[in-house]
Amino acid sequence: LDDNVARDMGGGIMHSGGRLRVTTGVSLRGNSAMDGGAVAIAVPPSSITTSSSPSPHAPAVETEATDFDISDNVTLANNLATRRGGSLYISASMSRGNLADITIRNSTAAAGTGIYWIRAASPHASLECRDCSLTDGDDNHHESRATEALSLSFDVAIPSELQSGVTIPMFTVTLV
């Protein structure tokens, strides 16, 4: 799956719901999207409903867990995401994700050149990368693995405008 372009998610593969298995020598190269240059495992934004003040009488919404297996000599290389997850973007409720014996290299993104995981979408899931090789592309300012901050706390109020080189008060970032 080479040289594909998606406007939003998953330049090579966009997966939403159920199980996904990419295995045995598959290669995804030169794909691009806004999130997940090669692969996006996500619930599309159009299917997510939010409310600023949820009603206690609203029925519970059940979402299907997305389990995936990307393993056994899979290569994700030279992919581009303009926002998150140069090669792999994960933003779905899942119980398990398996990454094993994969190579992710030379991909580019504003955050997570290799993998970006929206951890809040699956707070109890385990995601492990066994025997994986992750290397950054030309943009070495960002790490190859990234996730969002789930809570921020500040000991004192910070100024509304920040500039580089200006010292700000201590703060805490907590990841689950």
Side-chain angles (χ1 to χ4, degrees):
L1 294 169
D2 297 345
D3 303 316
N4 296 292
V5 177
R7 184 183 59 167
D8 294 321
M9 295 180 179
I13 298 172
M14 170 54 197
H15 177 72
S16 180
R19 289 179 173 76
L20 171 67
R21 187 166 188 221
V22 178
T23 184
T24 315
V26 171
S27 172
L28 288 100
R29 299 173 191 269
N31 298 292
S32 64
M34 186 169 39
D35 291 318
V39 178
I41 300 166
V43 176
S46 61
S47 66
I48 299 172
T49 303
T50 60
S51 172
S52 58
S53 58
S55 166
H57 307 292
V61 176
E62 201 170 305
T63 59
E64 181 179 356
T66 301
D67 293 343
F68 68 90
D69 175 19
I70 300 176
S71 63
D72 194 17
N73 195 30
V74 172
T75 300
L76 308 174
N78 305 316
N79 297 293
L80 167 68
T82 55
R83 290 193 327 174
R84 302 169 290 192
S87 279
L88 177 60
Y89 173 76
I90 304 164
S91 176
S93 173
M94 65 177 186
S95 57
R96 174 188 79 81
N98 179 49
L99 300 171
D101 187 23
I102 64 171
T103 300
I104 298 176
R105 69 172 180 263
N106 300 331
S107 292
T108 304
T113 57
I115 300 170
Y116 193 96
W117 180 16
I118 301 289
R119 184 77 169 99
S122 49
H124 303 292
S126 73
L127 177 64
E128 185 177 337
C129 198
R130 292 180 314 280
D131 298 319
C132 297
S133 171
L134 284 87
T135 58
D136 284 337
D138 294 332
D139 185 4
N140 289 316
H141 302 313
H142 305 287
E143 295 295 322
S144 59
R145 296 162 299 278
T147 188
E148 86 280 24
L150 296 183
S151 72
L152 296 172
S153 63
F154 296 90
D155 296 331
V156 296
I158 59 169
S160 61
E161 294 182 13
L162 295 176
Q163 298 177 8
S164 63
V166 175
T167 304
I168 62 169
M170 293 294 296
F171 63 94
T172 304
V173 176
T174 304
L175 300 176
V176 172

